[in-house]
């Protein structure tokens, strides 16, 4: 490494301090120094970003991994993800996320393991060890106090020293001690007035000096803000090309004595160490299969309530089961934002239940309460590509007017295509157009709501008619159009799209909502009343729980509370399954006999749920975060979200369960709560003395 460093010119060194592309570091061909490829993370590996790229394994999200409390299992997840990273030609997984569940409203809580720093650090260490033992670098993120999305690019988290160390830094410190992540990602926010990426107390004094960190610190994407960056403790500005780590300016600053060359060397050395680490020879672990994703999803499920032993259900008894809820059909298997992957497949709760019970049990479905913010993606079962395969045919053109023969073509099994940078030379995101085409075969007759979202120019044809036209005016536009269709009569669908050359992020997305009953809640209540058991899959979607914004409150969106109350009134054998990544208020909790928390469970979510509901597996998940009675009870309530650019962490150390204990405030379900199907009995308890001191309070 030292030899390589010595051979480098100053300009070459300076060229390494920022990424070369959105997902690559810079290479130096003259010295055979390769570019390193990074990929999100954390519940899968997005890899190539051109929508024709490979699909990814999709594990349950971070909070679900936290709910397993099983670090051995999470180490296996890390290893499986490492295999996925390597197969996709990448070297660094931008994961795991160990920010703390300070407020249950935070948009990215689903991605973070826990409200408790020890649990978070333990699960993170296992994950990192799994990755790095297979030669793939982790990027532990986001360093630090990035615990809300509100004003995330400018907010200063004002944290006193003790909670900063004992709560917010602690999962990072533990992970460093137990797993030494090869990279760390700084956060977008400020900490005590100074941006994390420029915060030398955090990155310099604490991370590198006090903890002796020898890895590389990269910025979060576009999370660098001033010309303080080159002289600070950040090693790599991402993504590329450079903004503040401008090579020419760095060379000039060193030459005129404004920048210490030893500091540049230190940053380069850390990058070279990373290259050395991720290019060394490690055995390739097996890629994840359905079995491992299912095991994690199953172990994550928390049985919150089970009055009268309503669960497990008997799968062999002929009966009628009413399955209700938008998420039962359109499974939400991950949260929103940069952590999304294109999963290999999705088993919805409805499909999982149907598959488990077989023919003798009637499983009937009603949506109950529509909850989507964006129309759900057009159902793949309805779509046939031009050559007869499931999905749509996709033709890419390397021009801005769909001219000539396509540059390349393929079949996509999704109707949401996005571009944010690229790792695949097939598509220049700033210069392409495309056509998606195929047929749609509806399963019911009635009005289908087609929804087109495009950033760029786009138009949608159904059955030969233009029904949405975003062609004349480019930009970020969404339009819904109703089209009347007849069951089993196929119609052609076609979308043409031209990229937005100036944009950073682009999308073309086709949603399609099938006909809804006139009164969806009443239809669900009627179904429940006729059934032996009702299972309501309630929840949020990745459009409600996402990176980029926080939730406004703790309520289930739409009319789900009313739906649940009315379904349980119609059928006392009602089970509520919560498909959410963080706590929700449950005004119906007393009335409902069984409540199951299933998180965002990854590709096997539906099978995992069915195996718990029907008793193939005894539930063993425990809450990694407190479920409060109401938002007003939560520790950060008074200070969240902050004002005038500052959010005071006024609850100090009393984060999560520490706060509820201190205040003797009963939560709805406490941290660590989780029932099983086994009965535990304690008896014959005896005291070992007759004098006792008062219980210690803190
Ligand atoms: C997120 C990171 C992510 C990065 C790259 C950022 O917006 O905060 O967690 O790794 O984008 O996609």
């Amino acid at each position: 490494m030292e030899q390589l460093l010595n051979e480098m010119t100053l300009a070459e060194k300076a060229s390494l301090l920022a990424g070369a592309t959105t997902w690559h570091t810079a290479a130096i061909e003259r010295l055979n120094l390769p570019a390193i490829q990074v990929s999100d993370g954390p519940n899968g590996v997005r890899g190539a970003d051109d929508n024709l790229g490979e699909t990814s394994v999709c594990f349950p999200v971070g909070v679900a991994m936290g709910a397993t409390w099983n670090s051995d299992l999470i180490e296996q997840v890390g290893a499986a993800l490492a295999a996925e990273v390597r197969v996709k030609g990448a070297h660094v997984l931008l994961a795991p996320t160990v920010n703390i569940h300070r407020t249950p409203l935070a948009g990215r809580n689903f991605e973070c393991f826990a409200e408790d720093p020890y649990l978070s650090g333990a699960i993170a260490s296992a994950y990192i060890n799994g990755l790095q033992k297979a030669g793939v670098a982790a990027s532990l993120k986001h360093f630090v106090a990035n615990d809300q999305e509100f004003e995330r690019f400018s907010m200063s988290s004002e944290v006193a020293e003790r909670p900063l160390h004992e709560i917010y830094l602690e999962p990072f410190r533990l992970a460093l001690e137990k797993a030494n992540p090869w990279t760390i990602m700084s956060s977008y926010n400020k900490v005590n007035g100074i941006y994390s990426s420029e915060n030398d107390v955090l990155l310099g004094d604490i991370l590198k000096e006090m903890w002796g960190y020898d890895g590389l610190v990269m910025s979060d994407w576009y999370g660098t803000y001033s010309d303080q960056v080159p002289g600070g403790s950040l090693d790599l500005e991402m993504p590329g090309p450079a903004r503040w780590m401008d090579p020419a300016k760095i060379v000039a600053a060193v030459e005129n004595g404004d920048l210490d060359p030893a500091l540049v060397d230190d940053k380069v050395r850390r990058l070279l160490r990373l290259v050395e680490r991720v290019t060394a020879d490690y055995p390739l672990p097996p890629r994840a299969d359905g079995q491992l994703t299912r095991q994690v999803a199953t172990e994550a499920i928390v049985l919150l309530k089970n009055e009268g032993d309503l669960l497990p259900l008997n799968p062999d008894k002929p009966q009628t089961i009413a399955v209700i809820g938008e998420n039962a059909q359109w499974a939400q298997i991950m949260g929103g934002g940069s952590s999304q992957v294109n999963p290999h497949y999705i088993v919805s709760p409805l499909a999982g239940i149907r598959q488990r019970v077989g023919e003798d049990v009637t499983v009937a479905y009603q949506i109950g309460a529509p909850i989507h913010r964006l129309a759900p993606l057009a159902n793949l079962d309805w779509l046939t590509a031009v050559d007869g395969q499931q999905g749509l045919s996709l033709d890419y053109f390397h021009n801005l007017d769909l001219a000539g023969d396509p540059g390349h073509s393929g079949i996509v099994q999704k109707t949401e295509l996005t571009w944010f940078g690229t790792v695949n030379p097939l598509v220049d995101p700033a210069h392409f157009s495309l056509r998606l085409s195929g047929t749609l075969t509806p399963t019911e007759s009635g009005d289908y709501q087609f929804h087109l979202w495009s950033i760029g120019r786009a138009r949608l044809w159904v059955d030969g008619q233009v029904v949405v036209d975003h062609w004349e005016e480019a930009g970020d536009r969404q339009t819904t159009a109703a089209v009347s269709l007849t069951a089993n009569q196929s119609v052609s669908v076609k979308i043409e799209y031209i990229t937005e050359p100036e944009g950073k992020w682009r999308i073309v997305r086709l949603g399609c909502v099938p006909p809804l009953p006139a009164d969806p809640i009443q239809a669900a209540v009627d179904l429940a009343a006729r059934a032996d058991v009702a299972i309501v899959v309630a929840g949020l979607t990745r459009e409600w729980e996402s990176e980029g914004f926080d939730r406004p409150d703790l309520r289930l969106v739409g009319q789900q509370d009313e739906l649940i109350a009315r379904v349980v009134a119609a059928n006392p054998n009602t089970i509520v399954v919560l498909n959410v990544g963080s706590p929700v208020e449950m005004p119906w909790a007393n009335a409902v006999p069984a409540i199951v928390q299933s998180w965002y469970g990854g590709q096997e979510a539906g099978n995992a749920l069915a195996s718990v509901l029907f008793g193939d597996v005894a539930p063993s998940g425990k809450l990694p975060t407190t479920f409060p009675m109401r938002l007003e009870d939560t520790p950060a309530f008074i200070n969240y979200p902050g004002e005038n650019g500052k959010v005071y962490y006024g609850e100090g150390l009393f984060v999560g369960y520490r706060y509820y204990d201190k205040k003797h405030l009963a939560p709805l379900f406490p941290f660590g709560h989780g029932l099983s199907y086994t009965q535990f009995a304690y008896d014959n308890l005896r005291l070992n003395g007759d004098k006792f001191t008062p219980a210690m309070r803190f």
Side-chain angles (χ1 to χ4, degrees), residues 23 40 46 94 97 108 111 141-142 146 152 185 188 220-221 338 420 547:
W23 307 114
D40 286 306
R46 210 165 46 239
L94 303 174
T97 312
R108 285 183 99 162
E111 217 182 298
K141 66 192 189 181
H142 309 86
N146 184 183
R152 65 174 171 161
M185 190 189 291
Y188 282 133
D220 198 347
W221 268 230
S338 62
F420 176 66
E547 176 180 342

Side-chain angles (χ1 to χ4, degrees), residues 224 439 588 679:
T224 47
T439 54
W588 34 262
Q679 301 293 324

Side-chain angles (χ1 to χ4, degrees), residues 531-582:
D532 297 301
V533 178
I535 301 172
V536 183
V537 181
L540 300 169
T541 69
R542 62 191 167 128
E543 282 96 31
W544 294 106
E545 209 177 344
S546 172
E547 176 180 342
F549 53 89
D550 296 330
R551 286 188 294 159
D553 54 46
L554 293 185
R555 286 199 289 275
L556 283 171
V557 292
Q559 290 176 288
Q560 295 182 99
D561 286 336
E562 183 191 337
L563 170 72
I564 294 168
R566 287 177 55 190
V567 167
V568 70
N571 187 335
N573 293 333
T574 292
I575 298 145
V576 172
V577 175
L578 288 170
N579 183 195
V580 289
S582 26

Side-chain angles (χ1 to χ4, degrees), residues 606-634:
N607 284 335
L609 178 65
S611 62
V612 168
L613 293 179
F614 294 98
D616 303 326
V617 178
S620 62
K622 310 275 177 224
L623 291 181
T625 203
T626 307
F627 275 43
M629 292 276 194
R630 48 182 208 140
L631 178 61
E632 291 81 349
D633 289 351
T634 59

